[in-house]
Amino acid sequence: MSMLIKICGLSTEETLEAALQAGADMIGFNFVAKSPRYISLETARRLGAKVRGRARKAALLVDADDAAIGATIDALGADILQLHGKETPERVRAVASRFGLPVMKAVGVATRDDVRAIAGYRGMADHILIDAKPPKDAAYPGGHGKVFDWTILEALDPGLSFMLSGGLSPANVAEAIKRVRPWAVDVSSGVESVPGVKDVAKIRAFIAAARDAAKV
């Protein structure tokens, strides 16, 4: 299976087009109001239409109720739901059943105990995204551009395929792929010039570096 590359937190037509042209497999759109990458449903409708089947569209949501999830799906035309909050395994399963879309559960990790907790989502989520655990005082979830200790992933069941996130960038994604061997990689702040503002050159460099590393 080839490496899947996800570029998350896109909010403009220019950066979306750059990611698509560079070969991103999945585009993440952020619907967390406190995030600098937040987009409205109106923007989601406009950007989602421009993907035109060229990549999969992921809707990033945090502890959203069914009404908010439904409205987001309708606006974006989402292909996959990325649940990035404190959703329980039972809630993940309920969302998948209610909306009939694949669900990817994001889990923040900092210790081996955090990694072991991922097992509770097996069979509930279609995919697992492993991210850095946010600081305790963080206003919103996510890795906040921090790289966690990849060696703690040795506690994972070796049969689990997962998407790796957390502080990835054009400079370290090749090393991450070679050391961790994830099914997919995800980047947001690592391809930005300032928080919430994507850099076209960094997007291209990240995708190129990930593709090259995945060939080895």
Side-chain angles (χ1 to χ4, degrees), residues 1-5 104-107 109 115 118 122 125-131 148-166 168 176-177 179-186:
M1 182 183 296
S2 61
M3 172 70 59
L4 184 146
I5 300 172
M104 177 159 56
K105 180 66 181 87
V107 181
V109 301
V115 172
I118 293 171
R122 295 196 72 169
D126 296 275
H127 306 290
I128 298 294
L129 184 152
I130 301 178
D131 203 351
F148 65 89
D149 178 6
W150 296 329
T151 64
I152 66 174
L153 297 181
E154 294 169 2
L156 273 179
D157 180 334
L160 177 69
S161 63
F162 60 92
M163 180 178 286
L164 179 67
S165 191
L168 297 183
I177 290 170
R179 288 181 56 187
V180 181
R181 294 294 176 184
W183 155 71
V185 290
D186 173 59

Side-chain angles (χ1 to χ4, degrees), residues 35-58:
S35 171
R37 299 161 194 95
Y38 166 78
I39 61 170
S40 66
L41 295 183
E42 180 181 354
T43 299
R45 188 171 288 106
R46 175 169 50 83
L47 295 181
K50 291 186 176 298
V51 177
R52 297 188 302 276
R54 298 159 69 189
R56 297 173 72 189
K57 293 174 283 187

Side-chain angles (χ1 to χ4, degrees), residues 19-198:
L20 292 170
Q21 288 189 4
D25 303 293
M26 185 180 291
I27 304 295
F29 296 95
N30 191 316
F31 297 92
V32 182
K34 293 182 179 180
S35 171
R37 299 161 194 95
Y38 166 78
I39 61 170
S40 66
L41 295 183
E42 180 181 354
T43 299
R45 188 171 288 106
R46 175 169 50 83
L47 295 181
K50 291 186 176 298
V51 177
R52 297 188 302 276
R54 298 159 69 189
R56 297 173 72 189
K57 293 174 283 187
L60 192 164
L61 298 152
V62 170
D63 301 318
D65 61 24
D66 284 359
I69 294 173
T72 301
I73 292 170
D74 289 344
L76 180 63
D79 299 301
I80 185 168
L81 299 173
Q82 178 178 328
L83 304 185
H84 221 107
K86 297 180 180 178
E87 299 89 358
T88 64
E90 292 73 24
R91 175 58 176 160
V92 170
R93 180 173 59 183
V95 169
S97 176
R98 168 71 175 80
F99 295 100
L101 288 177
V103 174
M104 177 159 56
K105 180 66 181 87
V107 181
V109 301
T111 68
R112 290 177 184 266
D113 285 341
D114 294 327
V115 172
R116 293 186 183 99
I118 293 171
Y121 290 98
R122 295 196 72 169
M124 303 290 191
D126 296 275
H127 306 290
I128 298 294
L129 184 152
I130 301 178
D131 203 351
K133 202 168 190 174
K136 291 183 179 179
D137 60 349
Y140 53 91
H144 292 255
K146 304 298 182 183
V147 178
F148 65 89
D149 178 6
W150 296 329
T151 64
I152 66 174
L153 297 181
E154 294 169 2
L156 273 179
D157 180 334
L160 177 69
S161 63
F162 60 92
M163 180 178 286
L164 179 67
S165 191
L168 297 183
S169 70
N172 68 8
V173 66
E175 180 187 4
I177 290 170
K178 292 173 183 176
R179 288 181 56 187
V180 181
R181 294 294 176 184
W183 155 71
V185 290
D186 173 59
V187 67
S188 186
S189 60
V191 291
E192 292 179 344
S193 52
V194 297
V197 179
K198 292 292 186 286

Side-chain angles (χ1 to χ4, degrees), residues 8-29:
C8 197
L10 294 175
S11 59
T12 68
E13 293 183 20
E14 179 189 15
T15 55
L16 173 59
E17 188 61 30
L20 292 170
Q21 288 189 4
D25 303 293
M26 185 180 291
I27 304 295
F29 296 95

